[in-house]
Amino acid sequence: MNEKLGDRLAMLRFLESVQDRDLARTRRWIQEMERLIAEQARRRPPPPPPDWVVQYGIGGRAVRPAMVHTAQCWVPGGSMEGISRTQAIEALTSGGVPPCILCRPEKELGVLE
């Protein structure tokens, strides 16, 4: 009986060594794939800058947006997020978000005139 337990233990140790090698190989594959993905991301051109920006006041996205700007507006403040033309129009018309009084995004968008 004791001999059978020793044989089982030897088999389990062998299985453990096989699984360790398999796990090490899998981890190498994962590292290689992560390296390839990072390399591809570095080669990709950056996304184009947004044409429109929504500004959030104190509290960030947890509160209602404070203002809509053109992306070229120099007015800093709060957190800013790029938005699409459609989102900018929606924010200005039905969203109740005021336009910046300096860059006047509503004129470029052709709304609220």
Side-chain angles (χ1 to χ4, degrees), residues 55-66 77-79:
Q55 173 187 358
Y56 293 92
I58 297 172
R61 292 183 184 163
V63 296
R64 196 182 106 142
S79 61

Side-chain angles (χ1 to χ4, degrees), residues 1 9 12-13 24 27 29 35 42 55 67 75 80 82 85 94 96 98 101 105-106 111 113:
M1 185 80 127
L9 180 59
L12 288 171
R13 295 245 185 244
R27 286 182 174 151
W29 289 343
R35 186 189 66 75
R42 281 191 302 272
Q55 173 187 358
M67 226 178 289
V75 177
M80 308 284 251
R85 177 182 175 80
S94 62
I101 60 171
E106 76 278 13
V111 296
E113 290 183 31

